[in-house]
Amino acid sequence: MELKLYNSLTRQKQVFEPMDPQRVTMYACGPTVYNYVHIGNARPAVVFDTLYRVLKCLYSNVVYARNITDIDDKIINKSNELSQDINVITKKYSEAYFEDMQALNTLTPDKIPYATQHIPEMIDMVQALIDRGHAYETDSENLSDRGHVLFSVPSMPNYGQLSKRNLDEQEAGARVEVAGYKQYAGDFVLWKPSTDNEPGWDSPWGRGRPGWHLECSAMIKKHLGETIDIHAGGQDLIFPHHENEIAQSCCANDGKALANFWMHNGFININGEKMSKSLGNFRLVNDLLQQYPGEVLRYVILSSHYRSEQNFSKELLDSAWRTLDSLYGLIRGLEPVEAVLEPSGAAFKALLDDLNTPVAISELYRLAKAVNQAKGDEQQDIMRELAGLADILGLLQQDPEQWFTQARADDQLTAEQVEVLIQARQQAKQEKDFAKADQVRQQLLDGGVILEDSREGTKWRRS
Ligand SMILES: [Zn+2]
């Protein structure tokens, strides 16, 4: 069995081979905790959680780390705005993040490093970069500019390997706000000075705090190693964040690659428009969870391929909810079985092909229909396969009765879903399982569908 993943670094699908099959390492950039996260932050969490589950099927020991950025200018600004202690803010929003992630049924990563708990490692890395001629301390005449340590981009000849930007482009892009203390426009901050009322730590360059990019490089090195198997994140992080992580780690670790595979998920659009501050169309996970079960959000995210752009809309969420209704309806009343993942099955093969979750989900639907129509041992076998697939996708993990009793919006079933349920009811009637037939009838009724039985068959209408 070969796992193929699209590597952003080489821009092609490649066979994944870990450096050490006994310890597969994976890192995903986590949130900056100054606000509730939006659906664009939920996508990488769900996608790479699914990858983590796939890897765990293939390897006995997978170490997955996802950090918490709890020191950042955005957090400091929020703290000033609200006149609230910075720790109160980071505690509140990291807890909210964990709750959101739980609602999305993501597994807890093996390591959750916090930036503020790794300051000595960050200082060591800055020092290593200075010692190797890749970073410099600013020596500005302007006192307030002192105490910065910057990474010297021209000191790294192959800077730009991930984003495929060359130095000229990099310079042009950065020219907009060139600080006077920079030797080169593209140089970026590793360490910056803190004023007395800003959080800071003592360092050889005075009291200050780390730059965002540095945090990930230092935490990866400490928890996973100098070179890791997979580094993941949203597409928007490729430049400058991931490019700068590569620069720091590679130059501090004597040229060693930071990650062999770089994986990036695509953007999420809202009703066809890019999510942006100016449009004010951010959808917070927390808000969506007031209206939809977390599983609906997870289902929507996995229903499109992670590298494609995804469009979120109310219609999509409502339709995902109805689809989950019919999936739960198909397995309702069946005895739970032990999950068995079928390695030769179409679904697992699809997941091994660069995490093709849309195909895996269509298989989930096919198996749910099949299990409903099968009997005895055959039914048990399909049920086990279905449960195995559901486990790896992190879907259908609830008791169907619980699913159907949860609060819901007033939505209708699609025609296709109605047909599937009518078929299931017909099957139950043929098997003289009238209780189940009635249950399905009720389910349709709950979905706003009224059945009319006649000699010609069953007709239906919306109520
Ligand atoms: Zn990062």
Side-chain angles (χ1 to χ4, degrees), residues 149-432:
V149 182
L150 299 180
F151 184 90
S152 163
V153 167
S155 77
M156 186 190 193
N158 59 346
Y159 180 89
Q161 51 190 283
L162 180 67
S163 59
K164 317 286 188 238
R165 286 185 182 218
N166 61 37
L167 286 185
D168 295 340
E169 283 171 328
Q170 154 81 353
E171 186 167 26
R175 196 167 283 154
V176 193
E177 39 169 343
V178 179
Y181 50 80
K182 287 188 180 183
Q183 288 177 1
Y184 171 80
D187 293 350
F188 58 89
V189 169
L190 298 170
W191 189 264
K192 65 199 291 183
S194 291
T195 58
D196 289 343
N197 50 11
E198 285 171 339
W201 291 263
D202 289 332
S203 81
W205 320 285
R207 187 173 169 277
R209 58 188 191 273
W212 172 42
H213 314 306
L214 180 70
E215 300 176 3
C216 288
S217 282
M219 290 188 279
I220 290 171
K221 183 173 182 172
K222 164 138 193 221
H223 293 283
L224 301 178
E226 290 181 336
T227 303
I228 63 172
D229 291 309
I230 301 171
H231 193 312
Q235 190 189 309
D236 52 323
L237 297 183
I238 292 179
F239 187 86
H241 184 55
H242 288 165
E243 198 68 81
N244 291 349
E245 278 188 39
I246 291 177
Q248 296 159 160
S249 296
C250 184
C251 293
N253 301 327
D254 300 318
K256 293 193 191 93
L258 170 56
N260 290 329
F261 277 76
W262 283 85
M263 292 180 69
H264 295 97
N265 63 274
F267 290 116
I268 280 189
N269 295 325
I270 303 291
N271 300 320
E273 282 180 319
K274 203 172 172 245
M275 256 195 299
S276 73
K277 272 207 182 86
S278 54
L279 288 169
N281 61 353
F282 281 107
R283 290 289 179 280
L284 300 182
V285 174
N286 199 270
D287 289 341
L288 288 168
L289 288 173
Q290 311 295 320
Q291 296 165 274
Y292 298 94
E295 190 168 352
V296 169
L297 305 190
R298 185 174 179 104
Y299 182 95
V300 167
I301 289 170
L302 294 180
S303 64
S304 68
H305 189 258
Y306 76 92
R307 281 195 285 124
S308 61
E309 273 194 17
Q310 183 166 42
N311 188 43
F312 253 69
S313 63
K314 183 178 182 306
E315 290 71 31
L316 187 67
L317 288 160
D318 291 344
S319 133
W321 197 344
R322 290 191 295 264
T323 305
L324 280 166
D325 276 348
S326 41
L327 283 168
Y328 272 110
L330 288 164
I331 58 167
R332 192 177 195 174
L334 297 175
E335 281 296 309
V337 293
E338 201 187 324
V340 173
L341 187 73
E342 190 59 65
S344 58
F348 197 54
K349 276 191 188 147
L351 290 171
L352 292 182
D353 182 15
D354 195 29
L355 219 60
N356 195 333
T357 52
V359 169
I361 281 185
S362 63
E363 274 296 295
L364 193 71
Y365 207 79
R366 188 188 65 78
L367 289 170
K369 279 198 254 187
V371 83
N372 197 268
Q373 284 157 19
K375 290 183 199 124
D377 286 351
E378 195 200 349
Q379 189 182 50
Q380 289 287 300
D381 285 348
I382 303 173
M383 189 67 186
R384 273 189 280 271
E385 192 181 342
L386 174 68
L389 179 56
D391 270 3
I392 204 168
L393 291 170
L395 296 169
L396 303 185
Q397 302 295 299
Q398 295 182 47
D399 177 345
E401 299 311 321
Q402 192 188 329
W403 173 264
F404 284 110
T405 52
Q406 69 192 337
R408 52 190 46 231
D410 184 26
D411 293 321
Q412 292 189 324
L413 296 161
T414 65
E416 198 206 353
Q417 290 158 349
V418 172
E419 293 297 347
V420 169
L421 287 168
I422 289 176
Q423 213 184 336
R425 175 171 170 262
Q426 207 59 39
Q427 186 83 16
K429 278 165 86 177
Q430 272 166 23
E431 290 165 14
K432 308 218 180 307

Side-chain angles (χ1 to χ4, degrees), residues 25 33 41-42 52 67 92 102 123 269 290 309 338 387 389 395 420 428 433 441:
T25 48
V33 282
N41 306 112
Y52 178 45
N67 73 297
K92 174 179 175 183
Q102 200 177 3
I123 290 175
N269 295 325
Q290 311 295 320
E309 273 194 17
E338 201 187 324
L389 179 56
L395 296 169
V420 169
D433 186 352
R441 186 187 189 105

Side-chain angles (χ1 to χ4, degrees), residues 137-146 180-181:
E137 190 182 355
T138 55
D139 182 22
S140 171
E141 285 171 14
N142 183 349
L143 201 64
S144 66
D145 285 348
R146 285 191 191 153
Y181 50 80

